[in-house]
Amino acid sequence: MELGSETELTQEITRLRAELARRERDAADNELQLERYAADLRETFKEERARSQQLARSYTATVRALSNAVEARDAYTSKHAERVAAYGFEIARALGIPRPQAPELEFGFLLHDIGKLAVPDAILYKPSELTREERAVMAKHPEFGYQILSEIEFLAEAALVVRHHHERWDGTGYPDGLAGEEIPVPARVFAVADVLDALTTDRPYRPASALSEAREMISAQAGAHFDPRVVDAFNSIDDDTIKRIGADIR
């Protein structure tokens, strides 16, 4: 545009300055609005995180209540599930299992015997040896447990531990006869933690074994009952850590 006079030039400069000032105000307003959005997002994130933490605590409390209900039926296995969970965490850490899988481990370990709630008391508490038919019913408890948990969304992964906690590395376990890598990793970790606790606690039919003996018996079953890598991870944990867990959870 050609400017015909000094007056027109002055007017154009004034217009441009006004336009620049308007754009600066708009930019300042936009920046303020963005800061408000960011503050709102931070507040929303904090609220969601608090709700998530509260929900996680509720889930854990629910699982522990269910676990206590199972263990209340058998005084001889009191705190068994808690110890197994604690041993399992240590083994999982030694095995390098990422932390996001921790709830799956804890919930599955705590609830591994929930299927026994569906086993008749006459079988569960029978003082004499079970018949073949009664053993068959007892061996169904992993499937009963899986049926109880699999429809609960936040326990869906834990339900796999419950279903497969009696599988064996060599494929001779139950209920599905899975072998080797077919068995979910958490269930393989559970198998070692479960036997460790069973061996190192007193039972009605035998006294507790020393930790050194338990290590020998578990190591002897690497490649048969247990995943050899899980056994190696277990054996990498020092005795003091294992003994501390056993002493703290009684």
Side-chain angles (χ1 to χ4, degrees), residues 194-236:
D194 182 47
V195 170
L196 170 64
D197 186 65
L199 291 173
T200 55
T201 53
D202 290 324
R203 294 297 171 92
Y205 45 87
R206 54 131 184 91
S209 298
L211 177 55
S212 58
E213 294 176 304
R215 285 192 187 277
E216 289 177 7
M217 286 186 273
I218 289 171
S219 295
Q221 286 295 310
H225 190 162
F226 308 118
D227 178 348
R229 290 190 306 119
V230 177
V231 174
D232 289 343
F234 161 60
N235 282 328
S236 74

Side-chain angles (χ1 to χ4, degrees), residues 73-149:
R73 300 187 74 197
D74 189 348
Y76 290 109
T77 60
S78 177
K79 299 293 185 178
H80 164 69
E82 287 187 42
R83 287 191 300 273
V84 170
Y87 292 140
F89 272 125
E90 288 297 329
I91 297 170
R93 185 179 295 114
L95 198 59
I97 291 179
R99 188 66 187 174
Q101 291 190 30
E104 172 188 338
L105 287 168
E106 181 178 13
F107 293 166
F109 290 4
L110 288 173
L111 296 175
H112 67 276
D113 273 342
I114 193 170
K116 288 183 178 178
L117 293 175
V119 175
D121 287 353
I123 295 177
L124 196 63
Y125 299 129
K126 186 177 179 180
S128 56
E129 185 177 354
L130 298 180
T131 66
R132 183 174 61 182
E133 292 76 14
E134 289 168 338
R135 285 197 300 273
V137 172
M138 181 67 85
K140 285 282 188 181
H141 78 269
E143 294 174 84
F144 295 152
Y146 178 77
Q147 291 166 7
I148 291 169
L149 300 183

